[in-house]
Amino acid sequence: MYHGNGTSKPTNLIHNKATTSILNDLCQHWAFKRMSGFANGVFAAWAPCLWDYYSTYLKKLLASDPELKTPFPSSVYSTTTFNFGPRTVCLPHIDYSNLPFGWCAIWALGNFDPTKGGHLILWDLKLVVEFPPGSLIFIPSGVCLHSNVPIGTSETRYSFAQFTPSSLFRWVDQGFQTKKEYLTSCSEEDMKRDSEQSQRRWKMGLELLTSVSELDI
């Protein structure tokens, strides 16, 4: 599911027939369904307020358009990507289209030595993290510059990521209409309130993050 780059409303991502068939098979595969469900559970356990924010918006979005569908019904994420390399490595980047205070769930897969390559680099935090095959990590990919260390030429590395574009949250906040339509329908008071909410959004996002001391563990 996506919204942006010229779309007039949220839509299911469209691929050619062959790719669509492969993606459908992957999303129905028991392994990816379990991985998606596990990531959703970890998200809910470690960031319950943020997870609830995702869940609430996704429910509103799906209720607004019965044609929209998510890759995995057991997850609050709207979108997923499969990277089959076979030596998947990403260059330093920030996923600007993702929710700034949101979490992106990333799985590392394949067959490689995690002590020699495949590390996750979080440039802003000056951290290089071993990221072994079968590991799951959550990062705020919308604001955090990140990349991977290359692996050996005889090794394989794949990734499976889940996220929700910030444009989908905005669509719900704008009353399920474009920004232009929303602004046209707004009164002066509505515009003022919207501006104030925009200025406070960064603080609201931080308040959704849960500290370890707040968790019931």
Side-chain angles (χ1 to χ4, degrees):
M1 194 189 308
Y2 186 73
H3 179 40
N5 293 331
T7 59
S8 59
K9 65 176 184 177
T11 181
N12 299 315
L13 288 168
I14 300 174
H15 305 277
N16 61 45
K17 186 175 181 180
T19 301
T20 298
S21 177
I22 293 172
L23 289 173
N24 287 339
D25 287 345
L26 288 171
C27 290
Q28 291 301 316
H29 194 282
W30 65 268
F32 286 110
K33 290 171 71 173
R34 290 185 64 178
M35 291 164 65
S36 174
F38 179 80
N40 186 69
V42 173
F43 189 7
W46 287 96
C49 295
L50 184 59
W51 179 91
D52 187 64
Y53 185 82
Y54 272 69
S55 178
T56 298
Y57 273 75
L58 182 63
K59 288 177 181 177
K60 291 180 179 180
L61 185 62
L62 295 177
S64 72
D65 187 346
E67 293 186 0
L68 294 175
K69 61 180 181 179
T70 59
F72 300 97
S74 62
S75 173
V76 294
Y77 289 111
S78 70
T79 313
T80 191
T81 59
F82 300 92
N83 298 298
F84 287 125
R87 291 191 294 129
T88 300
V89 176
C90 65
L91 298 175
H93 71 286
I94 296 175
D95 298 306
Y96 289 106
S97 64
N98 290 353
L99 187 68
F101 51 84
W103 282 7
C104 176
I106 307 171
W107 287 89
L109 306 169
N111 184 12
F112 61 92
D113 184 346
T115 66
K116 296 181 179 180
H119 299 65
L120 175 65
I121 305 176
L122 303 174
W123 293 88
D124 304 296
L125 301 178
K126 296 180 173 58
L127 290 175
V128 179
V129 184
E130 284 190 11
F131 197 14
S135 296
L136 166 68
I137 193 168
F138 293 85
I139 64 171
S141 63
V143 295
C144 182
L145 183 66
H146 56 286
S147 64
N148 289 104
V149 173
I151 60 173
T153 56
S154 62
E155 297 179 317
T156 58
R157 184 182 184 278
Y158 318 109
S159 69
F160 168 48
Q162 293 176 271
F163 57 95
T164 299
S166 57
S167 56
L168 298 181
F169 293 92
R170 290 196 300 271
W171 177 262
V172 175
D173 283 336
Q174 292 162 189
F176 310 101
Q177 55 189 335
T178 65
K179 184 70 171 181
K180 182 178 180 180
E181 293 170 335
Y182 173 69
L183 293 177
T184 301
S185 65
C186 281
S187 64
E188 186 174 333
E189 184 177 343
D190 291 333
M191 293 279 285
K192 181 180 179 181
R193 182 169 58 252
D194 182 71
S195 177
E196 292 174 348
Q197 290 177 344
S198 295
Q199 294 177 29
R200 293 197 305 267
R201 188 165 288 116
W202 68 271
K203 183 177 181 180
M204 180 273 293
L206 291 178
E207 290 174 345
L208 290 175
L209 301 177
T210 308
S211 65
V212 174
S213 62
E214 294 173 315
L215 294 172
D216 185 19
I217 56 176

